Amino acid sequence: MNSFFAQNLRYLRERQKIEQLELAKLLGRKSASSISEWEKGTYTPKSGVISDIARIFNVKIDELMSVDLSRPSNLMSVAPQTVRVPILGVIACGDPILAEENIKGYRFESPEDLPGGTLFYLEAEGDSMEPTIPNGSHVLIREQPEVEYGEIAAVLLNSDSEATLKRVKKQGDMIMLMPDNPAHAPYIITEDNPARIIGKAMRYVQDL
């Protein structure tokens, strides 16, 4: 890879007035040591991290890697400010959904591409919603307490500690959380098996 990455990373970070530790936290890291090593050119991060860095600074990956972005002739046109959308991890019982301890990272999006409302991402785990939602994809959720019949919702189970994605259906007074994969059984909401809808699935994204 071209050595422009190290100098571009430092240039973009300083231009945005972002400290190394702040950038590290945006990338889900606990310390700034990796950022320091990248800027020194000691080593280059993996492609997924490079993609996140490009998204944070709103530049193209090939420009980040192979173009001297500090040269005036290479400055790009102004683009919309990126928005960081939290990715929920394990949810601590009793905490608000978007409490800091529940967030394991962020994805960075253009505000022009986002629906209104309070948004967060859930990572799809397992194949219960395939083929509609692939395992490992990130699903954009709009926070809301109810969804329409047949829509896919983010639902809290197990004393509000486990978030899952299921299609919400009703049969009389019974509410069922249905997987799209017929190999999995539905979850029927009862007093012994409570559940709480926290949002509606809007779309998913999947990194290569």
Side-chain angles (χ1 to χ4, degrees):
M1 289 186 177
N2 199 299
S3 60
F4 279 122
F5 171 77
Q7 68 186 63
N8 281 340
L9 178 60
R10 179 184 291 274
Y11 166 73
L12 292 169
R13 181 180 60 77
E14 292 178 346
R15 188 181 69 174
Q16 295 288 340
K17 296 181 172 60
I18 298 176
E19 298 294 331
Q20 287 184 343
L21 182 57
E22 182 181 357
L23 178 57
K25 289 182 177 179
L26 291 176
L27 293 169
R29 295 169 182 265
K30 295 182 179 179
S31 75
S33 59
S34 294
I35 310 299
S36 177
E37 294 299 313
W38 298 340
E39 291 185 356
K40 291 176 183 176
T42 305
Y43 66 93
T44 303
K46 295 180 179 179
S47 59
V49 178
I50 292 173
S51 177
D52 288 339
I53 291 171
R55 192 179 298 115
I56 289 171
F57 293 112
N58 202 23
V59 298
K60 296 178 180 178
I61 293 175
D62 59 340
E63 292 172 331
L64 177 64
M65 302 304 297
S66 59
V67 175
D68 183 358
L69 296 177
S70 65
R71 292 171 61 92
S73 60
N74 291 325
L75 291 179
M76 299 183 301
S77 59
V78 176
Q81 180 67 37
T82 55
V83 175
R84 64 177 192 174
V85 181
I87 303 170
L88 289 189
V90 176
I91 298 171
C93 293
D95 286 341
I97 295 301
L98 295 179
E100 183 177 353
E101 52 266 41
N102 297 341
I103 297 172
K104 71 174 186 179
Y106 296 89
R107 292 188 67 92
F108 298 87
E109 308 283 354
S110 166
E112 296 179 352
D113 298 331
L114 294 174
T118 300
L119 304 171
F120 57 89
Y121 274 104
L122 282 180
E123 185 173 351
E125 297 182 356
D127 62 354
S128 68
M129 291 304 292
E130 289 187 343
T132 310
I133 300 176
N135 179 34
S137 59
H138 285 94
V139 183
L140 182 65
I141 305 295
R142 181 172 63 200
E143 188 174 1
Q144 58 187 69
E146 297 180 356
V147 298
E148 297 293 329
Y149 176 89
E151 291 183 330
I152 298 173
V155 184
L156 285 183
L157 308 175
N158 297 332
S159 300
D160 280 4
S161 64
E162 177 187 347
T164 186
L165 294 162
K166 292 292 183 290
R167 198 175 295 277
V168 177
K169 294 191 176 182
K170 298 180 181 179
Q171 185 172 327
D173 294 331
M174 182 170 60
I175 299 177
M176 299 177 292
L177 304 178
M178 303 293 296
D180 279 8
N181 185 340
H184 292 260
Y187 182 100
I188 299 175
I189 300 176
T190 66
E191 290 184 2
D192 295 328
N193 295 301
R196 179 165 66 96
I197 293 173
I198 57 173
K200 174 184 174 180
M202 307 299 292
R203 64 170 185 255
Y204 76 83
V205 293
Q206 192 170 34
D207 296 327
L208 296 177

